[in-house]
C-alpha cells in the first residue's frame, strides 16, 4: 500500500470508481482508492441498475442524459462493459401528476433528451399485457434501460487502474488525519496514507466518515428490498422498464425471461448498515408479486425466483451531497445518493474530478447538491410525490 498519495478516494462503489477514473483521465496522478471489501461490495452490487433520464430537476436530467451517452458507448469511452441494455423506460403517471409529467418531458426535449408523452391507449398498444387502470399518461424514453452495476463499477475500476490508480481492497479507513484544520491523510486498519485531498464516496458509511472530520451530513440508512420473478412462457416479448408512479412500484426486465420488482417509495426506517436483513422477506415477496400482478395480470403465472435487500443512503431531500467541504480544506464528499445514484455515476465522477482539480464544476449547475443546503433550508422539491424520482 502506498504511504503517500495526492488524492485518496474512500469507497469502491460505482461513484468512487467513476471518481477515481475521471480524476486519472483528467491527468491527476498518485491516486489511491480504498475499499473495505471488494469493488461494488456495498449497495452498488445490489442495485437494480435502472438507467432513466426522467428527472424533474434540470441538473439531474442533464447528468442522466450525459450518463446514458457514456453507458451507450462504454467500451469506447471507458473500456470494458457496463452490461447496458437499452430497452427503454416508461414512467406511468396518474391524473394528479400528468401535468408535471408533460412539463418534464417538454423540458427534457429542450435539452436533447428523446422522450414523449403517451396516452393510456398508446401504452396499451406498446405493451398489451399492461393494465392501465389509474394511468392518465406515460413518459417514454427509448434511450434508457438498465445496466449491470457491479460490472460497470469493476470496469471503471479497471480503467482507473490502467491510468495508474492504486486500488486497495479489504482495507478500512478508520480515521482521517488532520493538520491545522485541513486534511492530511487517512488512517486505515493496516497503514496510514498521507494525502492533502480525501474524497468521501463511502455511501451509507459516508456520514460516519465525515463526522470524523467534524462534518455533519444528515444521512438515514434505509433498506430497499427487490424481488426477481420469472415471466411465464406466454410473456417473453421485449418490454421496457416500467416506473409506476400510480402503484408505487418499478418493474425492470431481468435478462430475457425475468422481471425485477422494487418500490419507488422510500422506507424511512433507519437500519444498521453493518447488520440488516439482507434477504427479501416472505411478506416482501408477496407484496412484490401482488404489485406486478395488478399491473401485468399475466404474472399470475409467473414465479418468484430470488430476492435481496440493499441499502439506500438517504438525505432529507433525497439528493446527494456533492461538494467541497468549506470548513475542512482538502475534504470532498459525494454521498447520500438516496437510491438513485447508479444511473448518474458517469456524471458524478466528472463533477467530483472538476471540484477537486478546478475547485468548481463547469459542466453543471450543482447548487442542488450543496452541503450547506441543510442549514439554509434550500432543499430540493421533487415535482412528484416520490422524492426519489427527483
Ligand atoms: C436494491 C437497490 C436498488 C437500486 N436501484 C437503483 C436503480 O435502479 N438505479 C439507480 O440509479 N440507482 C439505484 N440504486 C442506488 C444506487 O445503486 C446507489 O445510489 C449507488 O450504487 C451508490 O454508489 P456509491 O458508489 O455512491 O456507494 P456504495 O455503493 O454504497 O459504495 C460505497 C463503498 O464504500 C465502501 N466503504 C464505506 N466505508 C468505508 C471505509 N471507511 N473504508 C473503506 N471503504 C469504505 C463500502 O464498502 C462501499 O463499497 C439502488 C440501490 C439499491 C440498494
Amino acid at each position: 500500500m502506498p504511504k503517500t498519495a495526492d488524492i485518496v478516494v474512500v469507497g469502491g462503489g460505482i461513484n468512487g470508481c467513476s471518481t477515481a477514473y475521471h480524476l486519472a483521465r483528467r491527468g491527476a496522478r498518485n491516486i489511491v482508492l480504498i475499499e473495505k471489501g471488494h469493488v461494488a461490495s456495498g449497495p452498488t452490487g445490489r442495485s437494480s441498475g435502472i438507467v432513466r433520464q426522467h428527472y424533474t430537476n434540470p441538473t439531474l436530467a442533464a447528468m442522466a442524459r450525459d450518463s446514458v451517452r457514456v453507458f451507450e458507448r462504454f467500451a469506447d469511452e471507458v473500456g470494458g462493459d457496463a452490461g447496458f441494455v437499452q430497452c427503454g423506460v416508461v414512467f406511468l403517471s396518474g391524473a394528479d401528476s400528468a401535468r408535471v409529467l408533460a412539463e418534464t418531458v417538454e423540458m427534457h426535449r429542450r435539452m436533447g433528451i428523446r422522450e414523449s408523452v403517451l396516452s393510456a391507449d398508446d401504452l396499451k398498444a406498446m405493451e398489451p399485457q399492461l393494465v392501465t387502470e389509474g394511468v392518465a399518461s406515460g413518459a417514454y424514453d427509448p434511450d434508457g434501460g438498465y445496466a449491470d452495476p457491479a460490472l460497470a463499477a469493476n470496469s471503471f475500476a479497471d480503467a482507473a487502474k490502467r491510468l495508474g490508480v492504486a486500488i486497495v481492497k479489504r482495507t478500512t479507513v478508520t480515521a482521517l488525519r488532520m493538520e491545522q484544520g485541513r486534511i492530511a491523510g487517512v488512517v486505515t486498519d493496516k497503514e496510514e496514507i498521507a494525502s492533502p485531498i480525501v474524497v468521501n464516496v463511502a455511501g451509507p458509511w459516508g456520514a460516519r466518515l465525515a463526522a470524523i472530520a467534524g462534518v455533519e451530513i444528515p444521512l438515514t440508512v434505509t433498506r430497499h428490498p427487490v424481488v426477481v420473478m420469472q415471466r411465464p412462457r406466454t410473456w417473453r416479448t421485449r418490454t421496457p422498464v416500467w416506473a409506476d408512479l400510480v402503484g408505487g412500484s418499478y418493474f425492470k426486465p431481468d435478462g430475457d425471461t425475468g422481471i425485477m420488482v422494487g418500490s419507488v417509495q422510500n422506507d424511512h426506517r433507519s437500519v444498521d448498515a453493518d447488520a440488516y436483513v439482507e434477504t427479501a422477506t416472505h411478506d416482501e415477496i408477496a407484496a412484490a408479486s401482488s404489485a406486478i400482478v395488478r399491473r401485468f395480470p399475466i404474472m399470475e403465472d409467473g414465479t418468484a425466483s430470488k430476492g435481496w435487500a440493499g441499502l439506500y443512503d438517504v438525505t432529507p431531500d433525497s439528493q446527494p451531497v456533492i461538494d467541497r467541504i468549506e470548513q475542512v480544506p482538502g475534504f470532498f464528499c459525494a454521498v447520500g445518493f438516496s437510491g438513485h445514484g447508479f444511473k448518474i455515476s458517469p456524471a458524478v465522477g466528472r463533477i467530483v474530478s472538476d471540484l477537486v482539480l478546478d475547485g468548481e464544476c463547469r459542466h453543471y449547475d450543482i447548487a442542488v447538491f450543496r452541503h450547506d443546503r441543510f442549514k439554509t433550508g434550500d432543499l430540493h422539491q421533487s415535482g412528484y410525490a416520490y422524492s426519489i424520482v427527483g
Side-chain angles (χ1 to χ4, degrees):
M1 182 157 69
K3 297 242 181 307
T4 61
D6 289 347
I7 304 170
V8 168
V9 176
V10 185
I14 189 72
N15 287 307
C17 294
S18 172
T19 293
Y21 164 74
H22 279 89
L23 283 164
R25 182 173 151 154
R26 284 209 45 198
R29 291 294 170 258
N30 301 321
I31 303 166
V32 180
L33 182 150
I34 304 180
E35 165 53 52
K36 68 186 167 87
H38 53 85
V39 167
S41 57
T44 294
R46 292 172 167 254
S47 175
S48 311
I50 295 170
V51 176
R52 47 114 176 162
Q53 303 177 88
H54 195 89
Y55 274 104
T56 62
N57 176 277
T59 297
L60 285 154
M63 289 167 67
R65 173 199 63 199
D66 298 346
S67 296
V68 160
R69 289 175 187 160
V70 174
F71 285 121
E72 279 174 339
R73 306 185 58 255
F74 203 85
D76 296 334
E77 277 272 325
V78 180
D81 195 358
F84 185 46
V85 178
Q86 202 161 36
C87 58
V89 178
V90 178
F91 264 70
L92 300 177
S93 106
D96 55 338
S97 48
R99 192 178 54 82
V100 175
L101 182 125
E103 287 170 0
T104 304
V105 169
E106 266 313 302
M107 183 256 286
H108 289 170
R109 290 163 76 103
R110 285 196 298 276
M111 54 197 285
I113 295 174
R114 287 201 304 154
E115 199 178 36
S116 48
V117 177
L118 300 184
S119 67
D121 287 346
D122 296 335
L123 292 162
K124 183 79 185 162
M126 172 187 254
E127 175 50 84
Q129 302 303 340
L130 177 77
V131 165
T132 55
E133 192 183 333
V135 174
S137 58
Y140 174 50
D141 158 17
D143 296 322
Y146 64 95
D148 180 332
L151 188 59
N154 277 281
S155 296
F156 268 128
D158 288 345
K161 235 187 297 181
R162 286 194 294 276
L163 292 170
V165 174
I167 311 264
V168 178
K169 296 180 227 171
R170 294 172 296 281
T171 301
T172 304
V173 172
T174 53
L176 297 171
R177 189 61 73 212
M178 311 280 289
E179 272 171 24
Q180 292 166 349
R182 63 162 299 135
I183 283 286
V186 295
V187 180
T188 78
D189 56 352
K190 300 201 172 109
E191 296 185 38
E192 289 194 25
I193 304 178
S195 174
I197 293 171
V198 172
V199 187
N200 170 10
V201 203
W205 300 268
R208 203 188 292 170
L209 190 67
I212 298 172
V215 175
E216 192 191 339
I217 300 182
L219 282 192
T220 308
V221 179
T222 66
R223 187 178 159 277
H224 182 78
V226 292
V227 173
V228 179
M229 301 185 69
Q230 286 301 308
R231 295 200 266 161
R233 290 194 183 284
T234 42
W235 187 32
R236 292 282 164 91
T237 44
R238 200 173 159 91
T239 200
V241 174
W242 299 89
D244 181 359
L245 301 185
V246 181
S249 299
Y250 62 80
F251 311 108
K252 185 207 81 167
D254 193 67
D256 293 335
T257 61
I259 192 152
M260 178 187 278
V261 186
S263 174
V264 296
Q265 318 184 41
N266 252 339
D267 180 343
H268 292 285
R269 283 170 299 182
S270 141
V271 297
D272 179 348
D274 297 313
Y276 72 98
V277 179
E278 295 185 33
T279 50
T281 64
H282 183 271
D283 286 353
E284 287 162 351
I285 294 170
S289 165
S290 303
I292 196 166
V293 168
R294 270 196 302 276
R295 219 20 113 200
F296 300 98
I298 195 168
M299 282 303 290
E300 191 63 54
D301 297 327
T303 49
S305 60
K306 56 187 173 182
W308 59 85
L311 297 172
Y312 282 3
D313 47 344
V314 183
T315 65
D317 62 359
S318 294
Q319 298 310 324
V321 171
I322 309 177
D323 208 353
R324 187 162 53 105
I325 305 299
E326 298 283 345
Q327 72 197 77
V328 184
F331 192 44
F332 296 79
C333 288
V335 296
F337 287 93
S338 306
H340 60 104
F342 172 72
K343 68 184 70 60
I344 51 174
S345 56
V348 170
R350 196 176 184 198
I351 292 172
V352 180
S353 63
D354 282 359
L355 285 174
V356 170
L357 301 177
D358 305 328
E360 62 179 335
C361 174
R362 296 202 182 94
H363 296 100
Y364 306 100
D365 173 2
I366 57 167
V368 64
F369 306 133
R370 286 176 65 107
H371 174 236
D372 68 4
R373 71 185 191 274
F374 306 113
K375 282 206 180 98
T376 60
D378 200 10
L379 300 188
H380 170 67
Q381 301 286 337
S382 172
Y384 293 110
Y386 302 110
S387 56
I388 188 177
V389 179

